[in-house]
Amino acid sequence: MEPSDKREDTEEVLPPPPPPPPPPSVTPPDRVGVPVNPEHTSESVKKAMMPKRVPVSRRGFGSRGQKIQLLTNHFKVGISNAGGHFFHYSVALSYEDGHPVEMKGVGRKIMDKVLETYDTELSVKDFAYDGEKSLFTVGALPHNKLEFTVVLDSVSSNRSNVVSRNAENGSHDGNESPDRADRKRLRRASQSKAFKVEISFAAKIPMQAIASALRGQESENSQEALRVLDIILRQHAAKQGCLLVRQSFFHDNPRNFTDLGGGVLGCRGFHSSFRATQGGLSLNVDGSTTTIIQPGPLVDFLIANQDARDPFQLDWSKAKRTLKNLRIKVKPSNQEYRIVGLSENLCKEQLFALKNKGNDDPEGIKVTVYDYFVNHRNIGLHYSGDLPCINVGKPKRPTFLPIELCFLVPLQRYTKALTVHQRTTLVERSRQKPHEKMMILTDVMKTNNYEADPLLRSCGISISTQFTQVEGRVLPAPRLKAGNGEELIARNGRWNFNNKRLAEPSKIKNWAAVNFSARCDTRGLCRDLARVGETKGIFIDPPIDIFEENPQFRRAPPMVRVEKMFEQMKPQLPDGPPHFIVCLLPDRKNSDIYGPWKRKCLAEFGIFNQCLAPGRVNDQYLMNVLLKINAKLGGLNTLLAIEPSRNIPLVSKVPTIIFGMDVSHGSPGQSDIPSVAAVVSSRCWPLISRYRASVRTQSPKVEMIDSLFKPVSDKDLGIIRELLLEFYVSSGQTKPTQIIIFRIIWSINKFSETALWHDSKPLVWMNGNVGKFLQDTGCLKGRHDNQLEIKNMAEYKGNKTLKIDGDGVSESQFNQVLNIELDQIIEACKFLDEKWNPKFTIIIAQKNHHTKFFQAGSQDNVPPGTVIDSKVCHPTHYDFYMCAHAGMIGTTRPTHYHVLLDEIGFSADDMQELIHSLSYVYQRSTNAISIVAPVRYAHLAATQVSQFIKFDDSSETSSSHGSLTSVGGPPVPELPKLHDKVCSSMFFC
């Protein structure tokens, strides 16, 4: 039998290691050349390779607002060994026969054994190992190249309780006399216990670079040094048996688990990473949550996952997809394996050739898996005989196990998309009030015991256990206007329309209602909607008709139900489709009718529509619905008092358009679903409360928007041209002379880049878009995990035409916006008017970070309008945190704003007040939101329009962030064009 792949209990999502400096003869120290054929290079990618813009530096600090003393989850770090050096070594692991080690997780076991066995040769020097190809020490090892051999008894497979068969004629158990080919396999299995380890010097990193970064003198060395510190944290957690997910760590402690149903657990852990801030080096520690498989009997997980009554009701084709690559332990041997599939036959029918020493028949005796375990191994099986076997073997050499002997090992991530119930439960159980979060983080700092880590000690690193004190400012809420010019007063980030009308109410005349739900009084709802609307200035005529779904179609597919409803409506509407439809859905959340219905209305007929899934209907519920309807039909619910009076600094004086940009990706577990890019733009200047959207599909998991400028023949079919023309028409034939761009990036992860390798040595890190370019142009010979292997080193060293920026991934994402997306927008402007040179301001809005703020001595969240632009912000970059909204549930998550470019010239106060005001123009609610409205609208538009196309969701592999789109892959399906009647509306509200 072949040795089975075995992995340690800690499943890792590994970051690439920091890159060593390139050879000085190749390129300047901050650039690495890559051989490419310029003929195959798009202009946008060329510009990405040679960034010409960099993020602006901070111009000053804000001063407006009431000062407030806060605490933050950054813990001050001291360094007493700033004169020392990190030494970076490349690690190559292989079996004795030269085959590289590809088993994930075993690398840490091997390197731990190296340190244990060869402590003298290593001068008893502790090291930080990233789990794959990089190792770091404080001070140098005795030699630049070291080779070791270690033996791990626990890595080889114990085959006494498993059976396998050859794909053609069966195989054997461990007691037979193998033939020649089998002897070769067995020798390799035996040799797989021994490993060769090569450690080669790669780079020297001064710790002084960290101090330089704190002074604003960032360099490649400073980023590498911080990466090394983060890798030390990962190793610290790995030694405690944690599941590692980038810089988040999860212990195998049932107290941290929450049952989400379906055999899935929510697992609470913590995030920790080092940050260079204005206040010095700090350790950012925060709570973190992931989803894991319920450990225990494999069959119990399957029953829960499929909500089956017993194992005989399971869908085994679905089970096969769910189980692939999960790790199990087998009773009674307790040996660990990875699942590769299922047997084609049931356990009582699955045959293999059993060979024994006393049997001269080279073919062996054909026995079933069930018979082997029951009669030959004397292991009782109660129900496995009538179920498929678990396959843990090789593609050409299956190895089968009865399912009831298999047990899932702990801490295995669940990477499939969660159900609505699971997602809701996870969010609800993960919430923690501010004082609860502070208590948990205080406990994390105590239990982690970082001061005992030998590597941190040798670095001279000391970490405070006290929250850092920072000063914030609370900006006053902007004044709002309702109908008849009446003023709305926002208190604690909220307001209401009691005894007030909407600012610009619409009229609803030609409309109808359809009901896909049997549990709602449709006529009563329509009457109540008209009654509440009248009090707010929205006059609603009686519906021209109400359509109830024919009960015989309620179990039909979603597309059929929608088509049948329109067929039912057509004879009753001789004058054509109505202007507006209220649609009652059968499910409270994520109804499968939603996508087909929206597509039919918005793309095919141009019908404004509002979907409802009413549970308890009251006046407040109907008021919230009317806010959405009014915005969709062209009305305004509220607007800033400074909009009509033209008192917005710099924005009201000259024509200014505001863009909000977002990219929506498929759910986890759906790695081949196209991403959807959306851009919304303001219209009707000088207002900044009206918007419209343009949406396109693009390659899966690609964050950069590639359709902003799209020249085809003598036309531009891109997003920006469409939005600029709309602004021109709606703003009195005026072109914008200023363009403000808000670009949301949900997370900035410094470990999500792609590594470029040659001969097992890292050369440079790049983002997925650049990696795709290199693969498409033929520069690379292969890809695996986060690594790209370069084809020809001689060509690589000789070519200096194109450069790849070697900065961290956050800067890489910033460069995409500054040097690819912005260039597309400029080209779109030039395409309309060659002499047009608008000024640009670009702000990144980041949500998924780990910085939180707390009020000292209070259990409440920070007040809405809180802004922090000192102490925990970047030493030199122009960034700040803002909590514009009132955190009512859990702990407030601030938005982290990064100003990349500001040609318009906002002061710090004016910039912060503009962003604060844009959190109050969201037309769907009566409260300030946590992020500026334009990017929230872009997210809504991308999410809604992505439902138009029924994407293939059969892929159940885990999503790979930053993965490359395969060359020659299937074309990205285009979205249907929105009907002219609705394309300029706020249909996404």
Side-chain angles (χ1 to χ4, degrees):
M1 180 189 305
E2 294 283 353
S4 297
D5 286 350
K6 183 186 172 195
R7 302 167 63 187
E8 65 179 353
D9 289 349
T10 302
E11 178 178 312
E12 300 187 22
V13 180
L14 293 165
S25 59
V26 180
T27 55
D30 61 340
R31 295 289 185 267
V32 176
V34 177
V36 297
N37 185 346
E39 295 179 1
H40 297 105
T41 311
S42 71
E43 290 299 319
S44 61
V45 173
K46 285 182 182 178
K47 289 166 184 172
M49 298 295 186
M50 296 182 289
K52 59 186 179 185
R53 305 181 190 94
V54 295
V56 297
S57 298
R58 185 183 306 279
R59 295 175 178 173
F61 298 91
S63 60
R64 295 175 194 162
Q66 182 178 352
K67 293 182 179 180
I68 183 173
Q69 296 303 313
L70 303 170
L71 299 175
T72 183
N73 57 337
H74 285 240
F75 300 86
K76 189 169 181 60
V77 177
I79 307 178
S80 60
N81 186 21
H85 288 80
F86 292 118
F87 284 75
H88 176 196
Y89 294 87
S90 177
V91 177
L93 306 178
S94 63
Y95 298 109
E96 282 192 326
D97 60 6
H99 285 72
V101 174
E102 297 178 352
M103 292 184 287
K104 291 184 178 180
V106 74
R108 290 194 186 277
K109 290 184 177 180
I110 295 173
M111 297 309 296
D112 286 345
K113 191 71 172 179
V114 167
L115 184 59
E116 174 189 335
T117 309
Y118 298 98
D119 55 342
T120 303
E121 288 82 349
L122 294 170
S123 299
V124 200
K125 190 173 291 295
D126 289 306
F127 51 70
Y129 176 56
D130 73 345
E132 287 201 351
K133 290 182 179 256
S134 285
L135 177 148
F136 302 90
T137 62
V138 179
L141 293 176
H143 304 285
N144 281 349
K145 187 167 185 178
L146 296 165
E147 295 185 4
F148 305 108
T149 300
V150 295
V151 175
L152 290 182
D153 294 333
S154 61
V155 171
S156 60
S157 299
N158 183 339
R159 301 186 305 278
S160 60
N161 289 326
V162 298
V163 297
S164 63
R165 65 170 177 83
N166 184 275
E168 296 179 359
N169 60 6
S171 185
H172 53 79
D173 72 350
N175 299 320
E176 71 171 280
S177 176
D179 59 20
R180 181 177 178 183
D182 290 329
R183 287 193 193 99
K184 182 177 179 181
R185 291 191 183 98
L186 286 176
R187 280 200 302 272
R188 182 169 294 174
S190 175
Q191 291 171 354
S192 69
K193 297 179 183 180
F195 298 90
K196 292 172 61 179
V197 180
E198 284 190 10
I199 301 176
S200 306
F201 173 76
K204 183 178 178 181
I205 307 164
M207 294 185 196
Q208 185 62 39
I210 298 175
S212 300
L214 298 176
R215 296 193 299 269
Q217 301 168 357
E218 282 196 287
S219 65
E220 186 175 328
N221 278 335
S222 61
Q223 294 167 3
E224 292 172 17
L226 290 176
R227 286 191 185 103
V228 175
L229 293 180
D230 281 343
I231 288 171
I232 294 174
L233 294 183
R234 287 173 54 79
Q235 178 169 280
H236 183 85
K239 289 181 176 179
Q240 299 177 33
C242 290
L243 165 67
L244 311 183
V245 185
R246 299 184 179 92
Q247 286 301 124
S248 292
F249 314 125
F250 303 90
H251 288 275
D252 184 17
N253 187 339
R255 292 185 304 172
N256 298 332
F257 300 160
T258 297
D259 189 358
L260 306 180
V264 181
L265 301 178
C267 182
R268 293 190 303 274
F270 67 95
H271 164 95
S272 66
S273 61
F274 288 95
R275 292 284 183 267
T277 69
Q278 294 173 20
L281 186 63
S282 69
L283 180 67
N284 179 207
V285 180
D286 191 22
S288 188
T289 305
T290 191
T291 50
I292 61 173
I293 300 288
Q294 170 77 59
L298 180 60
V299 71
D300 288 355
F301 163 72
L302 289 175
I303 290 172
N305 187 250
Q306 298 189 22
D307 194 22
R309 293 191 304 273
D310 56 58
F312 305 104
Q313 306 296 321
L314 292 171
D315 179 343
W316 289 103
S317 60
K318 181 179 179 180
K320 182 178 180 179
R321 295 192 300 268
T322 303
L323 294 178
K324 188 171 183 180
N325 291 325
L326 293 183
R327 290 173 292 132
I328 56 172
K329 283 192 175 181
V330 182
K331 303 296 184 183
S333 67
N334 215 34
Q335 182 62 54
E336 185 176 315
Y337 299 93
R338 185 171 56 227
I339 298 174
V340 298
L342 302 174
S343 63
E344 295 179 1
N345 302 313
L346 301 180
C347 188
K348 284 183 176 179
E349 300 170 358
Q350 184 65 55
L351 294 170
F352 75 101
L354 175 64
K355 302 175 185 179
N356 292 310
K357 292 182 180 179
N359 186 356
D360 295 331
D361 186 356
E363 297 296 324
I365 302 171
K366 292 291 183 70
V367 297
T368 66
V369 175
Y370 180 85
D371 181 50
Y372 172 78
F373 278 92
V374 172
N375 298 320
H376 292 261
R377 307 302 302 173
N378 295 319
I379 298 174
L381 299 177
H382 301 291
Y383 56 83
S384 295
D386 297 315
L387 301 174
C389 301
I390 301 300
N391 182 8
V392 296
K394 304 288 184 180
K396 294 184 178 181
R397 192 176 178 80
T399 301
F400 297 120
L401 300 165
I403 193 169
E404 66 186 273
L405 301 183
C406 301
F407 294 78
L408 290 163
V409 302
L411 292 181
Q412 297 192 74
R413 288 186 74 201
Y414 183 78
T415 56
K416 309 297 188 293
L418 297 179
T419 65
V420 175
H421 171 74
Q422 288 173 331
R423 189 165 54 247
T424 302
T425 304
L426 180 63
V427 171
E428 290 176 349
R429 303 284 178 84
S430 301
R431 289 170 179 154
Q432 296 163 344
K433 293 185 180 297
H435 68 281
E436 295 173 340
K437 182 174 282 291
M438 290 188 71
M439 290 174 59
I440 290 171
L441 297 183
T442 299
D443 184 61
V444 166
M445 291 302 296
K446 289 179 180 177
T447 57
N448 275 330
N449 195 23
Y450 287 126
E451 62 272 13
D453 187 281
L455 265 176
L456 289 178
R457 284 206 311 269
S458 60
C459 298
I461 296 287
S462 60
I463 303 174
S464 170
T465 58
Q466 302 299 312
F467 287 76
T468 297
Q469 294 186 0
V470 297
E471 184 177 85
R473 291 172 289 111
V474 182
L475 303 179
R479 294 189 301 118
L480 301 173
K481 290 289 185 181
N484 302 322
E486 291 188 85
E487 188 169 300
L488 283 172
I489 306 298
R491 292 185 175 89
N492 196 31
R494 296 176 173 272
W495 60 94
N496 62 61
F497 282 95
N498 292 342
N499 304 317
K500 290 183 174 62
R501 295 192 169 198
L502 304 183
E504 294 183 17
S506 55
K507 294 182 180 180
I508 305 177
K509 293 183 177 181
N510 179 22
W511 73 289
V514 302
N515 181 16
F516 287 100
S517 171
R519 302 182 302 275
C520 183
D521 176 10
T522 312
R523 294 189 182 276
L525 186 143
C526 291
R527 287 193 302 269
D528 290 341
L529 198 64
R531 174 179 56 80
V532 176
E534 185 175 0
T535 65
K536 304 306 170 190
I538 300 179
F539 294 100
I540 306 175
D541 288 350
I544 55 179
D545 210 336
I546 294 175
F547 300 91
E548 302 282 346
E549 184 182 30
N550 190 325
Q552 69 177 349
F553 299 123
R554 285 180 185 158
R555 296 188 179 276
M559 292 286 289
V560 174
R561 296 178 70 179
V562 171
E563 290 291 342
K564 292 297 182 183
M565 179 60 76
F566 271 87
E567 290 175 10
Q568 181 181 342
M569 293 166 57
K570 188 174 181 180
Q572 308 301 320
L573 303 170
D575 296 330
H579 180 66
F580 173 71
I581 296 179
V582 170
C583 174
L584 276 65
L585 299 175
D587 304 307
R588 289 295 304 276
K589 291 185 178 180
N590 285 20
S591 172
D592 53 7
I593 293 175
Y594 180 86
W597 174 261
K598 285 290 183 180
R599 174 171 179 159
K600 195 79 172 177
C601 289
L602 295 176
E604 195 167 329
F605 289 102
I607 302 172
F608 293 94
N609 63 98
Q610 178 64 50
C611 291
L612 309 178
R616 183 172 54 188
V617 178
N618 54 31
D619 285 4
Q620 183 59 55
Y621 174 84
L622 295 174
M623 180 64 209
N624 292 338
V625 171
L626 284 167
L627 292 178
K628 300 176 184 179
I629 293 174
N630 191 52
K632 288 176 180 177
L633 295 179
L636 271 179
N637 302 325
T638 59
L639 71 164
L640 299 170
I642 55 178
E643 289 183 73
S645 62
R646 298 200 176 197
N647 285 325
I648 306 175
L650 300 180
V651 173
S652 296
K653 305 307 178 186
V654 294
T656 303
I657 189 172
I658 299 175
F659 289 140
M661 302 166 59
D662 185 30
V663 179
S664 177
H665 305 294
S667 301
Q670 298 174 323
S671 59
D672 52 359
I673 289 182
S675 295
V676 177
V679 182
V680 304
S681 64
S682 59
R683 50 195 299 271
C684 303
W685 178 82
L687 299 185
I688 60 172
S689 293
R690 291 188 187 274
Y691 293 85
R692 66 152 294 175
S694 184
V695 187
R696 302 285 194 278
T697 50
Q698 58 187 43
S699 298
K701 306 300 178 186
V702 173
E703 182 65 29
M704 183 187 71
I705 302 177
D706 59 12
S707 53
L708 299 173
F709 176 65
K710 196 172 183 179
V712 177
S713 299
D714 59 344
K715 297 181 179 180
D716 173 15
L717 302 181
I719 291 175
I720 297 301
R721 178 182 185 274
E722 178 184 328
L723 300 178
L724 290 174
L725 291 177
E726 172 66 31
F727 180 91
Y728 181 79
V729 172
S730 68
S731 303
Q733 314 293 304
T734 302
K735 290 185 296 185
T737 58
Q738 297 178 157
I739 297 178
I740 301 173
I741 301 169
F742 287 97
R743 177 68 158 92
I744 190 167
I745 294 179
W746 291 99
S747 63
I748 294 178
N749 175 13
K750 57 187 174 183
F751 286 140
S752 66
E753 292 178 294
T754 300
L756 185 63
W757 290 77
H758 177 73
D759 288 341
S760 300
K761 291 183 173 59
L763 297 174
V764 72
W765 315 111
M766 66 194 108
N767 59 67
N769 293 304
V770 177
K772 180 182 186 305
F773 158 75
L774 290 170
Q775 191 178 53
D776 290 351
T777 52
C779 299
L780 308 172
K781 71 179 182 182
R783 172 188 172 86
H784 50 91
D785 294 332
N786 283 335
Q787 294 137 22
L788 295 169
E789 187 76 13
I790 201 161
K791 263 185 179 178
N792 188 313
M793 192 62 185
E795 291 182 11
Y796 170 86
K797 288 184 176 180
N799 189 296
K800 301 182 181 179
T801 305
L802 298 178
K803 316 293 183 186
I804 297 176
D805 190 85
D807 290 340
V809 71
S810 59
E811 285 75 16
S812 174
Q813 289 175 303
F814 292 167
N815 280 331
Q816 285 184 15
V817 176
L818 277 172
N819 297 297
I820 300 180
E821 293 180 348
L822 177 56
D823 277 349
Q824 289 186 68
I825 295 171
I826 292 173
E827 288 180 272
C829 294
K830 295 291 186 183
F831 196 89
L832 289 170
D833 183 351
E834 184 63 35
K835 298 180 180 179
W836 187 12
N837 294 298
K839 294 180 179 179
F840 290 91
T841 291
I842 301 178
I843 303 110
I844 297 291
Q846 182 196 355
K847 285 297 292 182
N848 286 356
H849 56 84
H850 289 277
T851 296
K852 302 290 194 302
F853 297 99
F854 310 89
Q855 293 193 70
S858 172
Q859 295 189 2
D860 296 331
N861 271 305
V862 297
T866 298
V867 60
I868 300 95
D869 60 1
S870 62
K871 201 73 174 278
V872 293
C873 294
H874 194 277
T876 57
H877 289 181
Y878 189 175
D879 68 324
F880 56 90
Y881 295 90
M882 182 174 288
C883 305
H885 64 302
M888 306 303 292
I889 303 174
T891 302
T892 297
R893 182 195 297 271
T895 299
H896 192 183
Y897 291 101
H898 307 256
V899 181
L900 303 188
L901 181 67
D902 185 21
E903 296 175 341
I904 297 175
F906 288 94
S907 68
D909 280 318
D910 286 344
M911 175 71 74
Q912 292 166 10
E913 288 201 334
L914 173 64
I915 288 174
H916 187 220
S917 295
L918 284 170
S919 301
Y920 279 77
V921 302
Y922 188 59
Q923 298 296 306
R924 285 166 51 102
S925 65
T926 56
N927 56 268
I929 58 174
S930 64
I931 197 167
V932 290
V935 293
R936 177 64 61 84
Y937 287 147
H939 183 67
L940 287 174
T943 302
Q944 183 175 133
V945 176
S946 66
Q947 303 294 319
F948 282 16
I949 294 180
K950 183 176 175 57
F951 293 126
D952 177 17
D953 59 358
S954 59
S955 169
E956 299 213 17
T957 57
S958 62
S959 61
S960 55
H961 301 282
S963 62
L964 304 184
T965 304
S966 59
V967 181
V972 177
E974 290 189 5
L975 291 167
K977 189 176 184 296
L978 290 178
H979 198 281
D980 290 342
K981 293 179 181 177
V982 299
C983 65
S984 295
S985 72
M986 294 176 69
F987 67 87
F988 42 82
C989 269

